[in-house]
Amino acid sequence: MANYTKEQWNAKKTDLMIKCYDCFAEYGLHGTGIRALANYCGCTTNMLYTYFDNLDDLIIQSTEYCMSKVEEDFMAKAPTDVPDLWRFIDEIPYWTAEKHGKKYRLMYQVYTHPKYREYGQKFFAGVDKRYTEYAKLLESKLGIPYQKLTALIFVLIRACVHYALFEDEFYLKSQMDVLKESLELFIMKYKPKARSDVLIE
């Protein structure tokens, strides 16, 4: 390990976090020990202990890193303008469930566990800040104040995550209907020149 550069070290640690999180997501948090993780990663247990203090440290770091990458994936699909809003809202719950459903289920196992709850609180405090910044970026594209968008983003995220966890179509539709109606009202108020044919039918 002494021959690794800092970049190589960080790249290897990132690779291990991703693979370990995938392993937990595939086989479950409980009963997946350090040996199973090492086998999944194609490395030794000693290598894992080189990068992480213990199994708890690995779980905490890999969850935080991998779920932050899920956030980045989500934000990369952001609508570019008002007409694109409806495409985004219709597609994102199903895309989230298909691509990241297992990761969300694992995240809730981790952050609702008494041992890791405080780390979940810190992670979601960061989520609050990041999605507020995300809303500020969308403000210039959509013409809606970021304070309003922040609240709507949380409605959307909750609906997407709930669907990814339970595939509850009734809950999803009820949340999406309210979200779309709210957006239409905000667009009419803050961007009245938006064409009516891009609003909800």
Side-chain angles (χ1 to χ4, degrees):
M1 296 297 173
N3 295 325
Y4 275 28
T5 66
K6 183 178 181 180
E7 289 75 18
Q8 290 171 325
W9 176 276
N10 290 338
K12 183 62 179 177
K13 182 175 182 179
T14 296
D15 180 62
L16 291 173
M17 286 192 291
I18 293 170
K19 288 179 178 176
C20 286
Y21 198 77
D22 286 344
C23 183
F24 281 125
E26 187 66 30
Y27 298 107
L29 182 65
H30 305 293
T32 303
I34 199 73
R35 289 187 179 85
L37 293 168
N39 288 336
Y40 192 91
C41 294
C43 68
T44 65
T45 56
N46 285 340
M47 176 172 281
L48 289 178
Y49 284 129
T50 299
Y51 289 92
F52 307 98
D53 295 339
N54 48 48
L55 186 59
D56 288 334
D57 183 46
L58 189 158
I59 290 170
I60 292 163
Q61 290 199 52
S62 64
T63 300
E64 180 179 3
Y65 176 80
C66 290
M67 292 313 298
S68 69
K69 301 307 289 185
V70 169
E71 282 183 36
E72 290 179 12
D73 273 1
F74 174 85
M75 289 188 280
K77 295 181 74 67
T80 56
D81 52 28
V82 170
D84 197 37
L85 265 173
W86 315 119
R87 183 276 312 168
F88 175 73
I89 292 172
D90 287 338
E91 290 179 2
I92 200 69
Y94 301 101
W95 173 87
T96 300
E98 181 179 353
K99 187 170 183 182
H100 297 305
K102 288 182 179 180
K103 293 178 181 178
Y104 275 115
R105 288 190 286 274
L106 174 58
M107 179 192 72
Y108 272 82
Q109 287 183 56
V110 173
Y111 286 149
T112 57
H113 193 292
K115 187 186 293 187
Y116 309 121
R117 188 170 180 271
E118 66 176 292
Y119 298 98
Q121 290 174 323
K122 292 177 183 177
F123 177 79
F124 286 110
V127 168
D128 292 347
K129 293 178 182 177
R130 289 189 291 275
Y131 280 125
T132 298
E133 293 303 311
Y134 179 44
K136 289 178 180 178
L137 293 176
L138 289 178
E139 181 175 4
S140 61
K141 297 178 180 180
L142 305 179
I144 300 171
Y146 80 87
Q147 295 92 338
K148 308 296 184 183
L149 289 172
T150 301
L152 296 182
I153 287 170
F154 284 126
V155 172
L156 176 62
I157 294 298
R158 180 175 291 275
C160 287
V161 173
H162 184 90
Y163 184 77
L165 293 174
F166 305 111
E167 296 185 359
D168 184 343
E169 289 281 354
F170 178 82
Y171 182 93
L172 178 65
K173 185 178 185 304
S174 65
Q175 295 292 297
M176 293 299 99
D177 286 349
V178 170
L179 178 64
K180 288 180 179 180
E181 289 177 12
S182 299
L183 278 167
E184 182 175 6
L185 291 172
F186 283 138
I187 290 167
M188 290 172 63
K189 179 176 181 179
Y190 296 108
K191 203 166 184 176
K193 292 183 180 179
R195 292 173 57 189
S196 60
D197 61 355
V198 303
L199 300 178
I200 303 169
E201 295 181 357

